[in-house]
């Protein structure tokens, strides 16, 4: 399925804005279903319904799963990173280290994208862009500052923080993989790739849930559970991921991941709507976060550093990959 965009950058911004709003609301919705299920089982229920829905929708959308072995390989790798590792790691991070600690560590994703871009693809970020990332990250820390720390023991805290950091790295590497796919294969079917990701990642989560948790302990008849699952799987996973991937076509991976800083801001705005007034430091953090993301989006894009192997390939000494 081809998506025609007259103004790609503007459309990408709208897609990311919608994605951030959805992700910002996801935490509150998950909290509704959490009492009715074990953490990994609930995480699995985010991925598996999304996979089923996407597979069912492919024929109607005239989309298809990856048809080449190399595309399937990277789809599977990114699925294990962005679905299995990210969802499970972040959930365990919240449970063991507390939501504030987990959000701060998960928000390091853009910095790992910068590191990957520099060492793998020779991409350089302007100093204004990096300054915007630092400012945005500081803002996130202030937004969740009232939730930092916690009563967890040392072992649980360490495991939770490691899981949240692993989730951040997984999302960063997965984003980098998808960005490389759309650069090398501009016509790649992103809806099909997303479906493949959730099939692979969902199956892996199902295995983990069956191995480490008692599936029978889940209250399968709970209406609250299924309402929560319906939103987080269909909207929060399937649709939001597709929107995020399409936005990657028109902007750098660093800029796209920087938008994730705004998810905690949306979460606070939702709490305000629900009648929970935040502290002044949280409001200050929201302003700083928004300013940081704005700086990243307006920073000049620096040209990539072409690697030695790439220069040889362009001269013809290395055959162009198929």
């Amino acid at each position: 399925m081809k998506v025609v965009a007259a103004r790609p950058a503007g459309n990408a911004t709208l897609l990311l804005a919608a994605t951030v709003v959805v992700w910002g609301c996801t935490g509150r919705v998950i909290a509704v279903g959490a009492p009715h299920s074990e953490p990994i089982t609930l995480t699995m229920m985010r991925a598996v319904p999304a996979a089923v829905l996407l597979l069912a929708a492919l024929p109607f959308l005239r989309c298809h799963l990856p048809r080449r072995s190399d595309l399937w390989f990277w789809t599977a790798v990114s699925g294990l990173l962005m679905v299995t590792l990210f969802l499970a790691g972040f959930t365990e991070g919240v449970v063991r280290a507390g939501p504030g600690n987990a959000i701060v560590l998960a928000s390091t994703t853009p910095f790992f994208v910068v590191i990957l871009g520099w060492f793998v693809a020779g991409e350089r970020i302007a100093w204004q862009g990096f300054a915007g990332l630092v400012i945005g990250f500081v803002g996130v820390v202030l937004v969740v500052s009232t939730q930092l720390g916690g009563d967890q023991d040392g072992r649980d805290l360490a495991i939770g923080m490691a899981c949240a950091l692993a989730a951040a790295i997984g999302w960063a590497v997965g984003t980098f993989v998808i960005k490389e796919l759309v650069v090398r294969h501009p016509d790649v079917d992103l809806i099909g790739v997303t479906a493949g990701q959730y099939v692979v990642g969902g199956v892996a989560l199902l295995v983990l849930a069956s191995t480490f948790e008692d599936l029978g302990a889940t209250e399968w008849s709970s209406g609250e559970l299924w309402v929560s699952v319906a939103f987080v799987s269909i909207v929060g996973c399937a649709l939001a991921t597709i929107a995020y991937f399409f936005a990657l076509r028109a902007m750098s991976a660093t800029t796209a991941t920087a938008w994730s800083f705004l998810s905690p801001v949306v979460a606070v705005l939702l709490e305000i709507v629900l009648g929970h007034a935040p502290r002044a430091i949280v409001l200050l953090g929201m302003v700083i976060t928004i300013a940081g993301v704005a700086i990243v989006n307006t920073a000049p894009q620096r040209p990539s550093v072409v690697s030695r192997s790439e220069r040889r390939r362009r001269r013809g000494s290395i055959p162009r990959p198929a």
Side-chain angles (χ1 to χ4, degrees), residues 134-160:
V134 174
I135 292 170
F137 181 75
V138 170
V140 171
V141 173
L142 293 177
V143 168
V144 300
S145 59
T146 57
Q147 304 175 40
L148 294 176
D151 300 325
Q152 298 83 2
D153 62 41
R155 181 174 178 273
D156 270 351
L157 181 62
I159 293 175

Side-chain angles (χ1 to χ4, degrees), residues 44 47-48 51 80 83-84 197-209:
M44 176 271 293
V48 172
L80 291 173
V83 178
T84 307
Q197 282 187 323
Y198 276 94
V199 168
V200 173
V203 169
L205 284 169
L206 179 59
V207 172
L208 289 174

Side-chain angles (χ1 to χ4, degrees), residues 20-21 24 140 258-267 286 289-291 293:
V20 165
V21 170
V140 171
W259 275 75
S260 64
F261 288 158
L262 296 177
S263 292
V265 173
V266 173
M286 293 168 64
T289 301
I290 294 171
V293 174

